[in-house]
Amino acid sequence: MRSGDRVAEIETDKATVDFEAQDDSVLAKILVPAGTSDLAVGSPLAILVEDAADVAAFAGATADE
């Protein structure tokens, strides 16, 4: 994914906001499935890494860690 690509669309009761990648990166793990509701502010949604070789290190990661 390239800097500026949309990573997620976050919907609240008042607005829908696109979250964009800040740097070039690789999506290593999605921690929260699409459509999940009632997440606390600051909850991790996904793990992005700089190098595709680092993806395997996050295979077992969960949002609880």
Side-chain angles (χ1 to χ4, degrees):
M1 128 181 3
R2 301 272 184 218
S3 176
D5 286 352
R6 186 172 73 170
V7 175
E9 182 178 88
I10 301 170
E11 185 176 330
T12 70
D13 57 337
K14 296 182 180 184
T16 300
V17 179
D18 289 338
F19 179 78
E20 296 180 353
Q22 300 299 308
D23 299 304
D24 291 353
S25 56
V26 176
L27 178 61
K29 178 81 174 189
I30 296 173
L31 300 173
V32 179
T36 301
S37 60
D38 297 327
L39 290 171
V41 172
S43 296
L45 304 176
I47 299 171
L48 303 175
V49 295
E50 291 182 12
D51 191 330
D54 296 330
V55 171
F58 297 97
T62 66
D64 298 329
E65 295 176 358

